[in-house]
């Protein structure tokens, strides 16, 4: 079934972690060896040509992001890897770090060389203690082997990588909140501009990238930009993607497949179809902040532009499926409760707006809402959209907007009947 | 109550803080170390962290109170974090939460009378492929059923009662 080239998951075995010996047997650190013989600008250019887009949710082109970074400027500057991974439905970074931590370490070293950052941090969420330990071991091994530390592979380039263990809260994954968290400040987001590339960690130029994004970098250098583009099935896409399946499926694996695989293939072939012989009603294609898609959209290729055209977002590649017995109001209420609780409290549309939205959704779900409440819900969405200080609240709006757009009848049915139509 | 930090830890943190250009970045490490020793972070812990890092207690407090995995109140020896996010919800997470409350005889936020378990909700643990899931201390348990929960609780209870150093949580 997986005739897809395995790039990031090639060393993945159930219940095991590949460390240096195994990693090197399959070509590990060839990317770094090659990178340090190139100029940093050549490495950046190759990444730009590869078409790699950020795997942390927003899909920003990585090479382009790196052009904003003053790589040639001397002095303090930082690379930060975002391993907060707390968006419900997303667990790919965890699977990668449990299986093969050197994938990230090598990727970070190549990125650090490209950006000329002598110091890099990996920000790891509280629940990923084993990932943190794997990374610490991988860092020690890489140092021993001369891949990390002073004068890496005789190139004169020096880089240290530190692991920062966090203590909860989804907002820490927002890149500017993450920088505050790393500095030991309360993790509210910062205003942008200035962007981290200008004023980031400790006020110095900083690039923040996702775990999976960085892990792709050394493969791009080792095999070339064209090879990377060729991995994807869509014209504009590039690379493979780690997809994490969850929800009402017979199987819920995390797997590596091309960008551009269809939802149908993911759900039918890799997920074994919807569980209990039921039909699919909807799915979140890329995490809790991505608008729902329906069973009629199964042939949409999984890529940034194609999913966006279909009314949602590619997000993180975590696909959560809901069967026909699911009440979409209740599912949306669960999603919104998450965002409301994880709000950092900094701005009013999010801190006050999201709990109010949860209250309205609960009124609808329990059959107590009126048509006026539905209008209030619409007003609330309008009030939150574009007014929040960071993207957390905007992410919360995604599922609700799609609930009203795709399942409006089901919502109204709750109000008309005075109860949830899906519960007897 | 145990010492906030062991002599060795205290020395190590002081040395690191003195060497680092931005000692404040150690605040979470420090709070977690204190919590690992005491089970939670008492006021004295906040003050000590501030003293080591050259911060006022309130500068430490505003960080400590931000995080849901830093406890500023006493908790049981083992904190159970039950995932209540969407993937676990879709696969019986609410039943798991209900069963734990029934089995332990406590409501969310409560601690068992013997002081062993505290029960709290948490957002997604990144165990979406093994939903429903919970985390006890720093260990994630997935594919939960009533039988599995019974076994896990028995194991964790025994580990909590043994005199060996306990895991963080
Ligand atoms: C509320 C919120 C949470 C986020 N959480 C994460 C996360 O856990 N991991 C991540 O890589 N990006 C997360 N992001 C996106 C980051 O802000 C940032 O765009 C990303 O780390 C950039 O990396 P990339 O370009 O490699 O994807 C989050 C964004 C928001 C608004
Ligand atoms: S949108 Fe929410 S999370 Fe973001 S700054 Fe405002 S309150 Fe904080």
């Amino acid at each position: 079934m997986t005739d897809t080239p395995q790039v990031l998951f090639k060393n993945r075995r159930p219940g095991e972690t590949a460390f240096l010996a195994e990693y090197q047997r399959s070509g590990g650190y060839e990317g770094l060896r090659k990178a340090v013989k190139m100029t940093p600008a050549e490495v950046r250019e190759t990444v730009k040509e590869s078409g790699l887009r950020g795997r942390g949710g927003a899909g920003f082109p990585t090479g382009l992001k790196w052009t904003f970074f003053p790589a040639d400027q001397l002095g303090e500057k930082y690379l930060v890897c975002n391993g907060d991974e707390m968006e419900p439905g997303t667990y790919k970074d965890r699977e990668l770090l449990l299986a093969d931590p050197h994938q990230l370490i090598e990727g970070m070293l190549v990125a650090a060389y490209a950006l000329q950052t002598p110091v890099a941090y990996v920000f790891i969420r509280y629940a990923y203690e084993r990932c943190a330990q794997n990374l610490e071991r991988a860092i020690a091994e890489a140092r021993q082997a001369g891949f990390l530390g002073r004068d890496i592979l005789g190139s004169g380039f020096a880089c240290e990588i530190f692991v920062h263990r966090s203590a909860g809260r989804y907002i820490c994954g927002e890149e500017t909140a993450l920088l505050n968290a790393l500095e030991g400040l309360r993790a509210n987001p910062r205003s942008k501009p200035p962007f981290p590339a200008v004023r980031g960690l400790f006020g110095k130029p900083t690039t923040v990238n996702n775990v999976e994004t960085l892990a792709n970098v050394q493969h791009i250098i080792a095999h070339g930009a064209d090879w990377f583009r060729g991995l994807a099935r869509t014209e504009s896409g590039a690379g493979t993607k780690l997809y994490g399946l969850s929800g009402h499926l017979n199987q819920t694996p995390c797997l590596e497949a091309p960008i551009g695989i269809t939802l149908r293939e993911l759900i039918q072939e890799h997920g074994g179809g919807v569980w209990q012989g039921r039909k699919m009603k909807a799915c979140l294609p890329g995490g809790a902040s991505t608008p729902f898609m329906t069973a009629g959209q199964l042939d949409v290729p999984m890529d940034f532009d194609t999913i966006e055209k279909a009314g949602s977002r590619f997000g993180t590649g975590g696909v959560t499926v809901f069967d026909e017995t699911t009440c979409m109001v209740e599912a949306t209420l669960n999603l919104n409760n998450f965002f409301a609780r994880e709000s950092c409290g900094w701005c009013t549309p999010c801190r006050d707006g999201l709990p109010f939205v949860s209250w309205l959704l609960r009124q609808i779900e329990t059959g107590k809402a009126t048509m006026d409440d539905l209008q209030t819900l619409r007003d609330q969405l309008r009030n939150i959209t574009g007014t929040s200080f960071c993207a957390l609240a905007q992410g919360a709006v995604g599922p609700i907007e799609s609930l009203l757009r795709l399942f409006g009848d089901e919502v109204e049915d709750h109000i008309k009947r005075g109860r949830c139509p899906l519960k007897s | 109550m145990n010492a906030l930090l062991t002599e060795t830890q205290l020395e190590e943190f002081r040395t690191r803080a003195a060497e680092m250009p931005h000692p404040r970045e150690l605040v979470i490490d420090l709070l977690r170390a204190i919590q690992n020793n005491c089970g939670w972070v008492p006021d004295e812990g906040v003050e000590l962290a501030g003293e080591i890092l050259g911060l006022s207690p309130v500068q430490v407090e505003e960080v400590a109170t931000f995080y849901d995995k830093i406890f500023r109140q006493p908790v049981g020896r083992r904190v159970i974090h039950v995932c209540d996010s969407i993937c676990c919800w879709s696969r019986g997470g609410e039943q798991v939460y209900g069963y734990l409350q029934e089995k332990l005889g406590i409501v969310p936020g409560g601690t068992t009378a013997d002081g062993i378990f505290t029960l709290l909700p948490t957002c997604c643990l990144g165990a979406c492929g093994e939903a429903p899931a919970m985390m006890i201390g720093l260990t994630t348990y997935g594919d939960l059923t009533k039988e599995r929960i019974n076994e896990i609780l028995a194991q964790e209870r025994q580990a909590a009662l043994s005199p060996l150093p306990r895991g963080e949580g």
Side-chain angles (χ1 to χ4, degrees):
Chain A
M1 208 159 50
T2 33
D3 42 8
T4 314
Q6 298 290 289
V7 179
L8 301 177
F9 272 176
K10 67 180 163 197
N11 297 321
R12 187 170 178 243
R13 319 261 177 279
E16 285 176 38
T17 306
F19 284 101
L20 190 61
E22 192 176 346
Y23 184 67
Q24 283 192 283
R25 263 201 297 281
S26 60
Y29 287 99
E30 290 307 317
L32 180 64
R33 283 182 209 281
K34 199 164 158 193
V36 294
K37 295 198 188 97
M38 299 161 69
T39 66
E42 282 165 354
V43 176
R44 295 196 299 271
E45 190 54 35
T46 308
V47 170
K48 196 169 167 193
E49 280 167 11
S50 76
L52 173 64
R53 293 178 68 168
R55 305 300 199 226
F60 196 84
T62 307
L64 182 62
K65 182 187 268 190
W66 289 6
T67 62
F68 305 142
F69 188 82
D72 301 327
Q73 184 183 305
L74 290 175
E76 226 182 296
K77 43 191 180 343
Y78 299 95
L79 171 69
V80 173
C81 171
N82 190 341
D84 196 52
E85 191 161 76
M86 282 175 86
E87 179 153 331
T90 308
Y91 62 104
K92 64 189 180 69
D93 297 340
R94 173 184 185 237
E95 296 296 322
L96 180 63
L97 297 177
L98 288 180
D100 201 2
H102 279 283
Q103 291 272 1
L104 176 61
I105 298 304
E106 186 183 358
M108 285 184 73
L109 289 165
V110 174
Y113 177 76
L115 300 168
Q116 292 290 295
T117 56
V119 178
Y121 285 86
V122 193
F123 187 96
I124 289 283
R125 66 173 293 190
Y126 184 87
Y128 288 4
E129 177 59 25
R130 270 187 48 215
C131 299
Q133 289 173 7
N134 287 350
L135 284 170
E136 281 170 342
R137 178 164 160 194
I139 289 169
E141 287 179 336
R143 183 189 309 285
Q144 192 81 42
F147 299 134
L148 181 151
R150 285 193 197 162
D151 191 20
I152 293 171
L153 294 168
S155 67
F157 176 66
C159 182
E160 289 294 336
I161 301 181
F162 299 103
V163 175
H164 174 93
R165 288 170 164 83
S166 186
R169 300 307 297 276
Y170 169 59
I171 190 60
C172 292
E174 195 282 331
E175 59 182 7
T176 61
L178 185 147
L179 297 177
N180 278 339
L182 266 181
E183 288 187 24
L185 301 168
R186 199 172 164 93
N188 298 112
R190 300 175 177 177
S191 58
K192 292 192 266 193
F195 287 90
V198 178
R199 273 181 67 84
L201 190 62
F202 306 115
K204 303 295 177 194
T206 303
T207 288
V208 183
N209 276 124
N210 172 258
V211 171
E212 186 187 348
T213 310
L214 289 167
N216 272 302
V217 169
Q218 78 270 17
H219 299 289
I220 293 170
I221 298 307
H223 305 291
D226 290 341
W227 165 84
F228 191 72
R229 281 188 173 278
L231 291 171
R233 283 206 211 152
T234 47
E235 194 57 44
S236 62
T240 61
K241 180 77 192 72
L242 304 181
Y243 298 97
L245 306 186
S246 60
H248 297 154
L249 293 170
N250 283 314
Q251 289 130 36
T252 50
C254 182
L255 63 130
E256 179 170 16
I259 289 266
I261 188 175
T262 62
L263 263 175
R264 186 185 302 283
E265 286 171 272
L266 280 177
I267 290 170
Q268 295 303 337
E269 285 169 36
H270 299 281
V274 178
W275 73 351
Q276 300 175 18
R278 292 183 187 153
K279 290 200 184 71
M280 169 179 154
K281 184 170 188 175
C283 76
L284 296 162
S289 68
T290 59
F292 293 114
M293 289 172 68
T294 61
Q297 297 176 302
L298 285 180
D299 292 311
V300 175
M302 296 291 282
D303 194 356
F304 295 96
D305 303 338
T306 44
I307 300 272
E308 199 159 317
K309 264 195 218 110
S312 187
R313 287 191 307 113
F314 188 45
T316 61
V319 180
T320 309
V321 173
F322 303 99
D323 71 22
E324 58 195 325
T325 69
T326 311
C327 169
M328 296 314 292
V329 175
E330 205 186 353
T332 309
L333 173 60
N334 175 285
L335 290 166
N336 195 71
N337 283 342
F338 161 79
F339 289 106
R341 192 173 67 201
E342 294 301 323
S343 165
C344 84
W346 186 257
C347 68
T348 314
C350 175
R351 181 192 58 237
D352 291 357
L354 296 184
F356 188 33
V357 166
S358 272
W359 183 84
L360 287 163
L361 287 170
R362 195 169 300 112
Q363 291 293 97
I364 297 173
E365 173 57 15
T366 53
K368 292 183 208 134
T370 62
M371 284 298 184
D372 283 350
D373 290 329
L374 186 54
Q375 193 47 49
T376 310
L377 179 59
R378 290 203 183 91
D379 291 345
Q380 276 302 308
L381 294 193
R382 229 187 358 262
N383 292 344
I384 295 167
T385 304
T387 60
S388 64
F389 187 66
C390 86
L392 183 141
Q394 204 48 53
V397 168
I400 310 166
E401 171 277 315
S402 62
L403 171 77
L404 298 180
R405 174 164 48 84
L406 302 169
F407 300 100
D409 291 348
E410 186 174 320
V411 175
E412 288 192 18
D413 219 20
H414 279 77
I415 298 171
K416 286 183 193 140
R417 295 204 209 181
R419 66 178 179 86
C420 174
L422 284 118
K423 296 203 182 67
S424 45
Chain B
M1 191 165 57
N2 292 340
L4 297 166
L5 293 173
T6 63
E7 283 300 319
T8 330
Q9 284 177 320
L10 198 57
E11 190 151 333
E12 204 183 295
F13 274 116
R14 284 199 201 283
T15 315
R16 281 175 69 195
E19 285 169 354
M20 288 175 103
H22 317 281
R24 192 174 189 152
E25 69 178 280
L26 290 175
V27 64
I28 299 294
D29 284 353
L30 250 169
L31 292 169
R32 285 186 60 171
I34 292 169
Q35 180 160 293
N36 200 28
N37 294 336
C38 305
W40 63 295
V41 181
D43 290 350
E44 296 76 25
V46 169
E47 284 159 20
L48 178 65
E51 190 238 301
I52 295 172
L53 302 178
L55 301 173
S56 67
V58 75
Q59 286 174 308
V60 178
E61 182 74 337
E62 67 171 9
V63 173
T65 55
F66 189 80
Y67 292 96
D68 64 319
K69 268 78 184 181
I70 300 288
F71 311 122
R72 284 288 281 116
Q73 296 175 33
V75 288
R77 295 194 196 187
R78 288 288 189 280
V79 177
I80 306 177
H81 277 106
V82 186
C83 173
D84 62 2
S85 294
I86 191 77
C87 308
C88 284
W89 172 84
S90 77
R91 295 180 79 104
E94 286 180 341
Q95 285 81 333
V96 164
Y97 207 13
Y99 181 68
L100 279 163
Q101 293 175 47
E102 183 194 310
K103 169 103 183 156
L104 298 170
I106 50 178
V107 294
T111 298
T112 52
D114 57 10
I116 297 203
F117 292 117
T118 295
L119 186 64
L120 289 170
T122 181
C123 76
C124 184
L125 293 167
C128 317
E130 321 151 40
M134 65 178 175
M135 177 171 73
I136 304 186
L138 285 170
T139 310
T140 301
Y141 298 97
D143 297 317
L144 297 177
T145 57
K146 284 188 184 175
E147 294 71 43
R148 220 172 110 66
I149 292 173
N150 292 343
E151 280 166 31
I152 294 164
L153 289 182
Q155 255 172 38
E156 288 280 352
R157 181 183 297 275
Q158 201 164 24
L161 290 170
S162 83
L164 293 169
R166 60 172 166 175
E168 187 170 350

